[in-house]
Amino acid sequence: EWDARRSGELRPLEQAVVDHLIQQRVKLVLISTDSQGSLLLYDLRDRLEALNTRYAELLPQNATDRERAIFKERIGIEAMTEAGGATPLPAFRDEFDRIVYFLNRLGTCVNGNLCSPRVADEFFRDYAASFWSYFAGYIERERKRGQPTYALAIETYVKAPR
């Protein structure tokens, strides 16, 4: 673990070590005591809650699942703009990228049979599915902009039959 100030120097090292362990098929359990990780989730939650409140009247009480999915996708796309929340967009994008990084790692771990799907699902599936329901539209846009595999491990994890 490290704080955000050390990310530039330690992330490449962490990436190399984790990639090596994955290649060796070492089963990993990652636990964090870093409060920054928790704060990122609150920032994301606050941004989505504010947008849901702002546009609540646009979603009828008897909305279909499809209508709810479209509503969430539009909220997620707006969350990734300057108008999407109080946190300045560059700071929010950095936080968003850290969440994508974590969920991609989780998806890679489960999809590659490197960790227990049952345990991962118990702790993270609901969060990953909620994240995907809001940000799939934004992720698809990023893929069309030249990142064809962006968040692919998250999508595969969330859409896998259980």
Side-chain angles (χ1 to χ4, degrees):
E1 278 182 3
W2 61 84
D3 64 29
R5 296 171 300 195
R6 302 280 184 235
S7 181
E9 55 201 44
L10 293 176
R11 188 168 305 235
L13 175 61
E14 181 242 0
Q15 181 78 41
V17 170
V18 170
D19 286 347
H20 175 74
L21 292 172
I22 288 172
Q23 288 173 356
Q24 300 300 313
R25 303 192 66 75
V26 173
K27 296 199 184 245
L28 303 172
V29 175
L30 304 175
I31 299 172
S32 176
T33 59
D34 181 4
S35 62
Q36 279 186 314
S38 298
L39 293 175
L40 299 179
L41 299 179
Y42 288 119
D43 213 14
L44 180 68
R45 182 203 63 199
D46 292 347
R47 200 169 184 103
L48 293 176
E49 280 182 359
L51 289 169
N52 274 301
T53 300
R54 184 186 312 164
Y55 296 117
E57 76 280 353
L58 299 178
L59 188 67
Q61 289 290 340
N62 60 346
T64 65
D65 289 343
R66 180 72 182 132
E67 289 170 325
R68 289 183 191 286
I70 291 168
F71 179 79
K72 285 182 172 183
E73 187 173 296
R74 289 181 178 163
I75 294 288
I77 289 170
E78 184 165 337
M80 299 306 295
T81 68
E82 282 294 342
T87 304
L89 187 59
F92 181 74
R93 281 187 192 253
D94 286 345
E95 295 172 1
F96 180 85
D97 288 344
R98 289 181 69 185
I99 294 168
V100 168
Y101 178 81
F102 170 76
L103 290 174
N104 265 331
R105 288 294 185 181
L106 173 69
T108 298
C109 185
V110 172
N111 301 335
N113 295 318
L114 301 171
C115 57
S116 165
R118 189 174 62 81
V119 172
D121 287 355
E122 183 68 29
F123 286 102
F124 303 111
R125 185 158 175 83
D126 58 340
Y127 181 77
S130 177
F131 179 88
W132 184 256
S133 72
Y134 279 101
F135 294 105
Y138 171 77
I139 289 166
E140 186 59 35
R141 287 182 178 190
E142 289 301 299
R143 289 176 180 172
K144 288 178 181 175
R145 288 187 184 127
Q147 298 183 67
T149 61
Y150 182 67
L152 187 58
I154 301 169
E155 179 179 17
T156 303
Y157 171 65
V158 168
K159 292 184 174 181
R162 295 282 189 266

